[in-house]
Amino acid sequence: MRKETKCIEGGYNPKNGEPRMVPIIQSTTFKYDTSADMGKLFDLEANGYFYTRLQNPTNDYVAAKITALEGGAAGMLTSSGQAASFFSVFNIASAGDHVVASTAIYGGTYNLFHVTMRKMGIDFTFVDPECSDEELEAAFKPNTKAVFGETIANPALIVFDIERFAKAAHAHGVPLIIDNTFATPINCRPIEWGADIVTHSTTKYLDGHDATVGGAIVDSGNFDWLAHADKFPGLCTPDDSYHGITYAEKFGKAAYITKATAQLMRDIGAIPSPMNCYMLNLGIESLAVRIKRHCENAQKVAEFLQANENVSYVTYPGLPGDKYYELAQKYMPDGTCGVISFGVKGGRKAAEEMMKHLKLAIIATHVADAHTCVLHPASSTHRQMTDEELLAGGVKPDMVRFSVGIENADDIIEDLAQALEASKNI
Ligand SMILES: *Cc1c(COP(=O)(O)O)cnc(C)c1O
């Protein structure tokens, strides 16, 4: 199946007489005839459901659809993108370990890594995605367990050179994890470029309608854990909490996701509700159509902004001349995303004034969905960061993040035109 078809048909194949739509199995619990039957599930000796904190059929149908779209071997849904980022790393790194991460990542991911996971004893080295080979090499340590980057960084719109970082990660015997939220599998499939694990905030384009918070993790199944068994004892030595099962031996290409489900979901419980997964699935059905429209609209808006005298700069990897245009052409020849960033002449104050005058585009701590929305990262999502940290992540203090929706592009442009005009008055 092609990606457009997978959006509709992937993950769930009803049998004779079964419901056409993914059923909402809104049940915490599942019934068994004997304790022995249930015991097999607890021992991971049989597949099945017993308690929705670990797994639920609705969730699994939708995870299977996203897995198919990304071209992975196994996948799972989480209650948020943050939970997906956390699980993706914590599944293979623990106290005393180290991770190499791009500086150009979502602010929430940066806080998670730099503050919260450091408190758990996991060390991070942040590297500029355009660092030299020597700098990248120097970032790795003997206890490095993963490399983490974002296809198109939110909000800096820096395109990550997935192939380059995959090679570096593999040369050091560790997997590359890519947050593919902004590109979506419609525009980029990081696994095809060597990424081992892909994460999503499904809250953004996958859901696409401001409706549900969620996350996903997809494993390519390509990383050979047993070949680096000394680095990944959690996957390559027996798990006492499951009677001595060794994930990499017993589950093959599903080892990473099985471990994340059986250990992390069991213990931490960041599971999405089946109802939310049902709504996420509805969103994904139109993903390919929406993404095409987001990109067409964003291209028109970016070109308008570039020609506007009140705009000091425009960042959009789909614009010829953009610093990341070539990389975007390589990884995302069909389009990048619907998010643009730009500066307003007059700096931070003019940007805030302009935003006050927008009528269609709403100010929202959100991005990447059907409704056009706008945000000033330095005073909202990224306000915990120092100016140096902001600039290292590609976020200028006067930068406006503009998420182009799927309304008529002319309405979005007219709204921007009048607000930019009004911003001259300060
Ligand atoms: C929003 C976002 C996240 C966090 O996802 P939540 O669903 O809000 O928890 C992670 N990565 C990227 C790129 C995001 O845009």
Side-chain angles (χ1 to χ4, degrees):
M1 286 193 283
R2 290 164 181 81
K3 59 193 179 185
E4 294 81 1
T5 311
K6 285 179 187 168
C7 285
I8 317 285
E9 310 290 348
Y12 172 64
N13 301 304
K15 297 189 196 71
N16 196 29
E18 287 184 350
R20 176 65 198 86
M21 276 305 283
V22 165
I24 306 168
I25 312 289
Q26 192 70 42
S27 180
T28 58
T29 346
F30 299 80
K31 176 224 165 216
Y32 286 90
D33 290 340
T34 68
S35 298
D37 286 348
M38 188 180 278
K40 284 191 193 127
L41 302 179
F42 274 90
D43 286 350
L44 302 181
E45 288 298 334
N47 261 335
Y49 299 94
F50 54 95
Y51 191 51
T52 287
R53 168 153 44 74
L54 285 96
Q55 266 184 296
N56 173 282
T58 309
N59 303 16
D60 283 354
Y61 291 135
V62 184
K65 178 177 278 191
I66 297 172
T67 304
L69 278 164
E70 288 288 2
M76 69 196 288
L77 299 186
T78 58
S79 54
S80 67
Q82 286 299 105
S85 301
F86 173 58
F87 277 24
S88 74
V89 173
F90 196 58
N91 200 34
I92 47 175
S94 47
D97 288 340
H98 170 260
V99 173
V100 176
S102 165
T103 49
I105 52 175
Y106 173 66
T109 314
Y110 181 79
N111 278 335
L112 168 68
F113 290 173
H114 182 58
V115 181
T116 301
M117 290 184 78
R118 273 195 208 282
K119 286 184 195 160
M120 304 169 90
I122 302 173
D123 189 22
F124 287 81
T125 298
F126 294 92
V127 295
D128 188 320
E130 284 164 84
C131 65
S132 68
D133 289 345
E134 292 69 37
E135 284 167 318
L136 181 54
E137 195 57 31
F140 286 89
K141 300 180 181 184
N143 58 344
T144 300
K145 297 298 163 77
V147 177
F148 190 102
E150 213 168 291
T151 317
I152 309 174
N154 171 14
L157 303 175
I158 291 172
V159 178
F160 193 67
D161 194 344
I162 299 170
E163 207 172 22
R164 176 184 179 214
F165 279 79
K167 282 192 184 128
H170 296 158
H172 288 272
V174 301
L176 174 65
I177 306 172
I178 292 289
D179 180 338
N180 196 34
T181 298
F182 265 29
T184 82
I186 300 306
N187 284 344
C188 181
R189 284 158 309 283
I191 291 170
E192 292 173 3
W193 298 99
D196 301 285
I197 293 145
V198 175
T199 64
H200 279 280
S201 166
T202 62
T203 318
K204 314 296 164 53
Y205 289 120
L206 266 59
D207 169 85
H209 296 84
D210 274 332
T212 58
V213 171
I217 310 173
V218 174
D219 179 19
S220 66
N222 294 337
F223 193 82
D224 188 351
W225 307 105
L226 289 167
H228 307 283
D230 55 324
K231 279 190 194 291
F232 302 105
L235 282 156
C236 302
T237 55
D239 179 356
D240 290 338
S241 69
Y242 283 105
H243 305 297
I245 274 176
T246 299
Y247 294 98
E249 281 168 6
K250 188 163 169 71
F251 297 104
K253 283 180 178 291
Y256 174 94
I257 292 294
T258 304
K259 177 178 179 288
T261 304
Q263 285 180 345
L264 298 184
M265 216 37 121
R266 178 196 61 186
D267 296 349
I268 295 167
I271 196 93
S273 74
M275 185 68 214
N276 275 11
C277 296
Y278 174 85
M279 289 197 279
L280 170 60
N281 180 61
L282 278 184
I284 299 172
E285 292 204 346
S286 63
L287 181 67
V289 182
R290 286 186 290 108
I291 288 295
K292 188 161 183 285
R293 172 68 168 245
H294 276 292
C295 293
E296 285 166 6
N297 277 2
Q299 193 72 30
K300 289 181 193 162
V301 170
E303 283 164 14
F304 158 79
L305 289 169
Q306 202 173 34
N308 189 284
E309 55 174 15
N310 301 318
V311 171
S312 48
Y313 60 85
V314 182
T315 304
Y316 183 60
L319 269 186
D322 184 88
K323 194 172 169 198
Y324 297 98
Y325 180 74
E326 271 80 37
L327 266 188
Q329 288 295 302
K330 171 177 169 178
Y331 291 108
M332 294 160 268
D334 298 335
T336 53
C337 64
V339 183
I340 297 170
S341 67
F342 63 97
V344 182
K345 277 194 188 146
R348 182 190 271 253
K349 276 195 112 161
E352 286 179 24
E353 182 67 20
M354 185 281 296
M355 285 171 58
K356 263 197 334 216
H357 290 277
L358 287 168
K359 293 180 180 128
L360 173 73
I362 58 155
I363 298 177
T365 318
H366 191 40
V367 71
D369 75 74
H371 312 88
T372 294
C373 57
V374 62
L375 183 80
H376 183 227
S379 62
S380 53
T381 47
H382 287 60
R383 65 184 298 138
Q384 319 302 346
M385 295 167 80
T386 65
D387 275 5
E388 286 100 62
E389 286 172 339
L390 279 177
L391 289 172
V395 183
K396 297 192 181 97
D398 67 342
M399 186 182 103
V400 174
R401 180 180 76 180
F402 196 82
S403 177
V404 181
I406 53 176
E407 304 94 340
N408 187 307
D410 292 340
D411 287 325
I412 304 168
I413 288 170
E414 281 169 21
D415 190 31
L416 272 168
Q418 60 84 23
L420 282 163
E421 191 58 28
S423 75
K424 284 204 286 200
N425 302 333
I426 59 141

